[in-house]
């Protein structure tokens, strides 16, 4: 994606033609979706199990959030350790409606058999007891005020992560917190959020989280094989649309500016660009994308709890993008798909254990070690990640962008000190 | 000649060290000015203060016809108000093509949404081609700027400055690392630029300053030591003391 | 055979006749004087007898009272003389003289009546006995008597105690007696003025016993009336619907006083409606329409009109009724003046308790701050001095803690094992730090984000390796015996020795690091390399070596911190991750590159966390959440921390 050619005479050429990789990606995604549909149990010949369709659908969502991460980190240079928190918030927002509505149907069903028709209060109490019994509460916390309304909760999927990112980003960028400071600050935000959600009185069922999300309210008759495909299609569509959006953003002058911010923020400021506004825009936009990805992911996973929001999840997200190759959109997608599927394979116990004679390496236990170390190796030896292979195949080289310091150069400082 | 920038009584100190001490400075709307001074005289800090990179402890800076105070403005607002700056070391965006670098610098709306919706017009491409010709990078528009030589990067940066169409140009050691021929070209460009705007050049090289043929301000220990033509200041006893360390 | 034995016993008993008893011993005389009331054993009349015994001044009196209380005193039916006796078997008694306890012989129990004082009388005897203990020559005995009284205070003790105080010589015991006397006065004195004086004497006393004594006095009862009574025993007036008096409770009080119609709960109303269901309707109202509370109310009212259910108050009626009454609490356990004095004394005690709790909180905060300081100081060196982000720092803390654990498995002596573990942990983590610097970090200088990521990878791997080796359950790191227990300043303020030790350790480290950085060649070289590596290199300093040593040093300190933290908390593979964010916060808040800043940062973060925990004690998770939020806001206002470098140096 990096070889933008703004000065090509035909400025009205469609995006996809200017960037063949977008076209290739969309075609591959479409083929993949078609293939999975044909092979699935729901609509096809049943070679792929429903649970694997769900895994693939979830992987597509992870690819989408990785795309967001790549935009914010790979292109704009903000190593956010909070995007999985936005992802989780999107999941919570949709999960609240799914859980509320399904419980409501169950409660109404059970109350219908009683002698008197239930009052609204009785239904509400019944739902609250069902949902919050595990945390010893029987009343709806204020955050559930709109849980009955699908449109509002859908709006929350984008509004809550977006708003949180906007407020946090505004505070952080405004005070010129950058680089590792910003990373640590985002990590702190994520930690605070997950600790908050772990409390029983957070109103979101503490560490129990929300569960039963795979069941769509009112669609009990539809088999999971079909539902899983619906979500798979939805995820594929979202990924495709997200890819197009990201490609469009990074292709033009905006992309130029954010990459410039990544490489030399102060210089961009001296060009007259309000750097903070650009960062805030990207940070908020990617948080919204992450929220949407989460809202598609968790109904396929079936359960969401605060562990999913813990900082380590966001770190893994950064790992995926780094392994896939940051600064190129397809790199993020490759990384997320490759590492998360490999991770499922290893931790699912499918990988063969290695017997060393004196010790047996069980991948369930050692996979994380391997992942951590290979991450170090990628950082050290292959900063471009898997995506770098494309460059090697295409025989493209680019200069090291960590070239010059911004003046006044650090030498000036020493002159000053020498004068003292 | 109307005054474009007026700096009065500005001081700044770092941990007790007075980098700028009660400095006052004026420049007209179409004027070329060279600022010289030994190491640590505060030349770069002076530029930092004008561009709001460093906040002064006291003093006033007023800019333009309306007498805007630059002290309360952010770097990007100051740049938008028409103050362009070239740094000591060439800082171009090495990962991007020469054309992209110039495109970013072109005087256009700077807000994120406007930038997002921006699509270059043929006129913009023409302007970039023109600028590239001016800085001798016509054939390299699609090369990554990281692949350019040191001197070419200096040129590119000057080109970016010109693309911004600033009213006040701050240039920090433009000729460092250039061949004599390139220096001459640089002098021409700066003199040309000063016809329509104010240009402040910080330079060590006396020959270069002499060739600019403009008023010179000598800084020493954070304040103005002398001001006048190059011949005038080089005859000044104090300046000789400072430079030769007698 | 059995009969023979019995006969023999009988004969033997006769052979040692009761006449051996000293019928004219002074104590026997006193007993005889009150013989009838003693035999009668009535609580109302027994007083003079006990007093006479206690006041007789006879050495035997104490033993008599003891035996009497223990139901070991019998009276000869014939002679009326009192004896001590033990039951040999069901029918036979072994008798002893009341005067000096000498054995008299055995006798069949037919001729003797056992004195069976009831619990009331036993209590009175006990009170009389306490006097003997209170005047016992053995101070330990006297103190024990005081304890007995304090544990089981009775009105009768008050007089006894007052008498004992006059005779008491030992000032310490006298003070204890005086304190107890005042406590008893509060509880049992007849005169209100006396009680109030005693109560006021305890203002600000932190003793738990004082609060235990005062609290019952301020007990109140909720009452209701048309208007608030003008008497001074009203503690406070409550309004229904407040936290102190929920609306339902207030109304139920009226109902129980027959001042209002009963109310009915939603569930009961529903049950009543269901019970009166007839052909799909209740009192003529179709069931299908009963899906709101209003409809159900109307149906119930209809039922009530038909006389099928009791009429009940509607919500509106409840409100109207509640408006007509006032609710107030009345002191019931003590006269108003006493109760109010007690309330104000309790208030002053509460204030003092709050102050002391503040002090205790301060100590807690200090010890938490020292833990954060220990956890963060290594980081401050690597992050602050070298600008290297080490996300695996927490895992070095964990490695140190596990080193301590392993050492304790090998060396069973806890003191010795800690002494070995501290330097060993330093060595282990120093080695790990140097290895990490050589293998990974030095390739990534000037690429801080990459360093962050690579060390994340190492952190993930180390954590999992620890999990694979040591399992997921927490491992104990036991502190030596001499670190057990705590330093107790008063009933509220205390601090455990382990926390003091950690505090001392933190101070030691602060001193050590300041010394190393400012007074040694290594520190000089470190500072030189930090400021200008190229210049330092040209002066013969090897920056590679310095970077390696600095990183090792920072990591080694993390190892020692790990042992300290392991002693204080449990050792788990995730313990490092628990501290890493707080440690970074500490460094960032304090100001990067400054040891004093780290100290201030740790103090701020520790105090803040304890302070928030105090405001919301049930929830440490919330405390951490709010603390992090506070720090995020703090960084808004001081992006470079408390101690900030100014000017260009800050940007280098």
């Amino acid at each position: 994606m990096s070889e933008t050619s703004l000065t090509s005479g035909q400025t009205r050429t469609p995006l996809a033609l200017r960037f063949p990789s977008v076209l290739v990606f969309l075609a591959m995604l479409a083929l993949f979706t078609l293939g999975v549909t044909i092979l699935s149990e729901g609509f096809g010949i049943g070679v792929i199990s429903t649970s694997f369709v769900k895994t693939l659908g979830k992987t597509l969502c992870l690819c989408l959030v990785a795309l967001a991460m790549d935009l914010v980190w790979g292109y704009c240079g903000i190593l956010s350790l909070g995007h999985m928190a936005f992802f989780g918030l999107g999941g919570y927002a949709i999960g609240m409606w799914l859980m509320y509505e399904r419980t409501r149907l169950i409660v109404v069903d059970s109350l219908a058999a009683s002698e008197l028709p239930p009052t609204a209060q009785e239904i509400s109490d019944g739902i609250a007891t069902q949902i919050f019994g595990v945390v010893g509460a029987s009343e709806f916390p204020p955050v559930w005020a709109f849980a009955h309304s699908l449109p509002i909760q859908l709006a929350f999927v984008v509004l809550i992560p977006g708003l949180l990112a906007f407020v946090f980003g505004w505070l952080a960028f405004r005070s010129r917190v950058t680089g590792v400071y910003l990373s640590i600050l985002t990590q702190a935000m994520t930690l605070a959020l997950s600790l908050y959600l772990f409390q029983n009185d957070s109103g979101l069922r503490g560490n129990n989280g929300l569960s039963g999300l795979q069941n769509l309210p009112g669609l009990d008759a539809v088999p999971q094989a079909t539902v899983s495909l619906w979500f798979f299609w939805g995820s594929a569509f979202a990924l495709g649309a997200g890819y197009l959006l990201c490609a469009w953003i990074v292709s033009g002058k905006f992309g130029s500016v954010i990459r410039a911010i990544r490489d030399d923020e102060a210089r961009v400021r001296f060009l007259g660009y309000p750097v903070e506004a650009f960062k805030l825009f990207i940070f908020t936009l990617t948080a919204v994308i992450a929220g949407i990805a989460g809202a598609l992911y968790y109904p396929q996973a079936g359960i969401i709890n605060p562990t999913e929001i813990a900082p380590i999840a966001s770190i893994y997200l950064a790992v995926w993008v780094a392994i896939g190759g940051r600064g190129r959109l397809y790199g993020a997608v490759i990384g997320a798909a490759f590492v998360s599927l490999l991770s499922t394979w290893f931790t699912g116990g499918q990988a063969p254990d290695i017997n060393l004679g004196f010790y047996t390496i069980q991948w369930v236990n050692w996979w994380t070690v391997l992942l951590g170390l290979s991450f170090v190796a990628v950082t050290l030896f292959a900063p471009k990640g898997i995506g770098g292979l494309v460059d090697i195949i295409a025989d493209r080289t680019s200069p090291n962008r960590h070239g010059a310091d911004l003046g006044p150069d650090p030498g000036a400082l020493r002159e000053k000190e020498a004068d003292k | 000649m109307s005054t474009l920038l007026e700096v009065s009584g500005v001081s700044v100190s770092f941990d007790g060290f007075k980098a700028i001490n009660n400095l006052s400075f004026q420049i007209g709307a179409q004027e070329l000015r060279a600022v010289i001074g030994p190491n640590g005289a505060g030349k770069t800090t002076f530029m930092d203060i004008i561009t709001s990179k460093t906040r002064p402890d006291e003093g006033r800076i007023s800019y333009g016809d309306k007498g805007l105070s630059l002290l309360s403005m952010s770097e990007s607002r100051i740049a938008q108000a028409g103050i362009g700056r070239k740094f000591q070391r060439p800082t171009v965006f090495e990962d991007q093509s020469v054309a992209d670098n110039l495109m970013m610098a072109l005087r256009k709306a700077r807000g994120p949404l406007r930038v997002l919706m921006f699509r270059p017009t043929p006129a913009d491409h023409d302007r970039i081609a023109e600028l590239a010709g001016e800085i001798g990078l016509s054939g390299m528009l699609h090369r990554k700027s990281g692949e350019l030589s040191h001197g070419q990067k200096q040129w590119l940066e000057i080109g970016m400055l010109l693309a911004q169409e600033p009213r006040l140009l701050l240039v920090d050691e433009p000729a460092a690392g250039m061949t004599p021929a390139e220096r001459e070209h640089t002098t021409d460009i700066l003199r040309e630029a000063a016809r329509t705007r104010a240009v402040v050049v910080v330079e060590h090289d006396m020959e270069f300053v002499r060739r600019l043929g403009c008023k010179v301000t000598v800084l020493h220990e954070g304040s103005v030591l002398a001001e006048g033509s190059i011949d005038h200041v080089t005859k000044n006893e104090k300046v000789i003391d400072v430079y030769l360390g007698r | 055979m059995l009969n023979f034995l019995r006969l023999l016993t009988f004969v033997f008993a006769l052979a040692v006749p009761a006449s051996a008893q000293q019928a004219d011993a002074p104590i026997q005389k006193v007993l005889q004087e009150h013989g009838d009331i003693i035999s009668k054993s009535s609580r109302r009349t027994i007083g003079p007898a006990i007093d006479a015994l206690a006041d007789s001044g006879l050495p035997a009196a104490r033993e008599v009272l003891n035996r009497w209380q223990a139901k070991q005193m019998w009276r000869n039916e014939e002679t009326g003389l009192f004896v001590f006796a033990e039951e040999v078997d069901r029918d036979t008694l072994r008798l002893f003289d009341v005067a000096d306890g000498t054995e008299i012989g055995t006798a069949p129990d037919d001729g003797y009546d056992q004195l069976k004082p009831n619990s009331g009388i036993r209590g009175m005897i006990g009170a009389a006995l306490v006097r003997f203990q209170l005047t016992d020559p053995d101070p330990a005995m006297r103190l024990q008597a005081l304890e007995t009284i304090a544990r089981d205070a009775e009105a009768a003790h008050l007089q006894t105690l007052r008498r004992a105080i006059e005779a008491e010589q030992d000032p310490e015991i006298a003070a204890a007696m005086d304190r107890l006397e005042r406590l008893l006065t509060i509880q049992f004195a007849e005169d209100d003025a006396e009680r109030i004086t005693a109560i006021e004497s305890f203002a600000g006393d932190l003793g738990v016993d004082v609060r235990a004594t005062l609290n019952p006095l301020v007990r109140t009862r909720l009452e209701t009336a048309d208007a608030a009574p003008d008497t001074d025993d009203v503690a406070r007036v409550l309004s229904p619907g407040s936290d102190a008096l929920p609306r339902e409770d207030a109304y139920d009080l009226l109902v129980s006083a027959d001042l209002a119609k009963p109310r009915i709960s939603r569930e009961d109303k529903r049950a009543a409606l269901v019970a009166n269901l007839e052909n799909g309707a209740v009192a003529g109202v179709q069931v299908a329409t009963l899906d709101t509370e209003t409809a159900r109310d109307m149906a119930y009212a209809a039922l009530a009109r038909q006389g099928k259910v009791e009429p009940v108050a509607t919500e509106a009626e409840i409100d109207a009724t509640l408006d007509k009454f006032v609710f107030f609490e009345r002191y019931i356990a003590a006269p108003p003046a006493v109760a109010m004095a007690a309330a104000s004394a309790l208030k002053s005690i509460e204030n003092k308790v709050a102050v002391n709790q503040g002090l205790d909180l301060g100590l807690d905060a200090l010890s938490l701050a020292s833990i954060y300081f220990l956890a963060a100081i290594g980081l401050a060196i690597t992050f602050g001095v070298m600008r290297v982000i080490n996300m695996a720092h927490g895992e070095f803390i964990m490695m140190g803690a596990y080193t301590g654990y392993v050492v304790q498995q090998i060396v069973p002596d806890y003191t010795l094992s800690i002494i070995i573990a501290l330097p060993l942990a330093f060595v282990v983590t120093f080695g790990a730090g140097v290895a990490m610097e050589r293998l990974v970090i030095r390739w990534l200088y000037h690429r801080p984000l990459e360093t962050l990521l690579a060390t994340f990878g190492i952190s993930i791997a180390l954590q999992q390796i620890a999990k694979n080796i040591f399992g997921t359950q927490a491992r104990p790191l036991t502190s030596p015996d001499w670190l057990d227990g705590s330093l107790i300043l008063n009933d509220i303020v205390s601090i455990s020795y382990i926390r003091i030790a950690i505090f001392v350790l933190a101070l030691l480290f602060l001193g050590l690091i300041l010394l190393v950085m400012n007074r040694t060649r290594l520190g000089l070289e470190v500072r030189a390399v930090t400021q200008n590596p190229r210049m330092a290199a040209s002066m013969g300093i090897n920056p590679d070596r310095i970077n390696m040593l600095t990183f090792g040093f920072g990591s080694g300190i993390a190892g020692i911190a790990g042992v300290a933290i392991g002693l204080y908390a449990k050792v788990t593979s995730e313990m490092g991750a628990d501290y890493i964010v707080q440690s970074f916060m500490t460094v960032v808040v304090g100001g990067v590159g400054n040891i004093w800043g780290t100290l201030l940062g740790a103090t701020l973060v520790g105090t803040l966390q304890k302070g928030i925990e105090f405001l919301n004690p049930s929830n440490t998770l919330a405390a951490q959440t709010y603390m992090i939020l506070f720090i995020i806001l703090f960084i808004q206002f001081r992006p470079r921390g408390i101690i900030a470098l100014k000017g260009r140096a800050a940007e280098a």
Side-chain angles (χ1 to χ4, degrees), chain A residues 4 6-7 256 271-273, chain B residues 80 96 100 104 110 125 142:
Chain A
T4 51
L6 287 171
T7 46
S256 245
L271 280 178
Y273 289 97
Chain B
Q80 283 172 38
Q96 306 194 35
D100 284 348
M104 257 190 281
R110 299 300 206 213
H125 291 302
H142 299 290

Side-chain angles (χ1 to χ4, degrees), chain B:
Chain B
M1 191 164 61
S2 65
T3 306
L4 181 67
L5 177 81
E6 180 168 2
V7 176
S8 43
V10 166
S11 297
V12 68
S13 60
F14 303 125
D15 294 332
F17 167 74
K18 279 233 164 186
I20 296 288
N21 187 9
N22 195 20
L23 178 83
S24 295
F25 179 89
Q26 277 190 12
I27 188 166
Q30 286 98 33
E31 188 186 343
L32 181 59
R33 177 75 62 89
V35 175
I36 60 172
N39 276 342
K43 301 177 303 256
T44 303
T45 310
F46 165 64
M47 287 197 171
D48 283 352
I49 288 173
I50 294 175
T51 53
S52 177
K53 192 163 188 275
T54 300
R55 304 263 161 190
D57 301 331
E58 53 186 77
R60 283 187 309 106
I61 304 177
S62 77
Y63 167 80
D65 317 321
K66 293 181 197 138
L68 283 175
S69 170
L70 295 185
L71 296 183
S72 56
M73 290 163 70
S74 66
E75 290 105 311
S76 54
R77 288 271 312 284
I78 288 173
Q80 283 172 38
I83 297 182
R85 178 169 181 188
K86 188 205 156 296
F87 290 96
Q88 224 160 325
R89 288 197 198 167
T91 47
V92 296
F93 301 107
E94 309 202 348
D95 198 31
Q96 306 194 35
S97 70
V98 171
D100 284 348
N101 270 290
L102 289 171
M103 185 63 88
M104 257 190 281
L106 272 190
R107 187 175 171 80
K108 295 282 172 188
R110 299 300 206 213
L113 289 179
R114 300 287 295 277
V115 172
L116 192 61
M117 295 301 164
F118 174 84
R119 288 291 173 251
T121 61
D124 296 331
H125 291 302
D126 294 346
R127 173 79 183 121
I128 283 171
E130 186 190 327
L131 279 167
E134 217 169 314
I135 56 176
L137 294 174
S138 284
M140 303 192 169
L141 271 180
H142 299 290
R143 293 272 297 278
K144 281 205 174 182
S145 57
E147 297 164 14
L148 302 180
S149 73
H150 182 83
Q152 285 171 322
K153 285 180 190 168
Q154 295 271 43
W155 284 115
L156 176 55
E157 199 173 1
I158 291 171
M160 286 166 75
L161 267 183
L162 294 176
Q164 281 184 69
E165 296 170 26
R167 294 179 65 192
L168 171 65
L169 245 170
L170 304 172
V171 190
D172 207 345
E173 300 199 17
M178 285 189 175
T179 62
E182 284 173 336
R183 281 162 182 251
E184 202 149 327
H185 191 177
T186 310
T187 331
D188 292 344
I189 289 181
L190 291 175
R191 270 207 299 253
E192 177 63 30
R195 271 186 222 283
T196 50
R197 69 201 85 209
V199 178
V200 177
V201 183
V202 164
E203 189 49 80
H204 272 306
D205 183 353
M206 281 297 191
E207 267 318 298
F208 185 83
V209 172
R210 193 175 294 278
R211 206 173 300 135
L212 287 174
C214 64
K215 195 171 166 187
V216 175
T217 301
V218 186
L219 287 188
H220 177 57
E221 288 179 352
S223 14
V224 177
L225 190 68
E227 208 164 57
S229 74
I230 183 80
D231 294 323
H232 171 77
V233 297
T234 46
K235 286 191 188 102
N236 185 313
E237 278 295 316
K238 283 188 280 179
V239 174
I240 295 168
D241 276 358
V242 164
Y243 265 91
L244 300 179
R246 201 180 281 167

Side-chain angles (χ1 to χ4, degrees), chain C residues 521-538:
Chain C
R521 177 82 198 166
L522 178 68
L524 185 71
E525 291 184 1
V526 167
R527 281 179 292 143
V529 172
T530 308
Q531 282 164 15
N532 192 338
R534 253 170 292 162
M535 181 62 95
S538 67

Side-chain angles (χ1 to χ4, degrees), chain C residues 315-333:
Chain C
E315 294 294 308
E317 281 171 340
I318 291 176
D319 284 335
T321 317
L322 286 175
D323 279 347
K324 278 189 247 162
F325 291 92
V326 288
F327 297 85
F328 51 88
E329 284 177 339
R330 195 194 284 277
Y331 289 120
I332 50 163

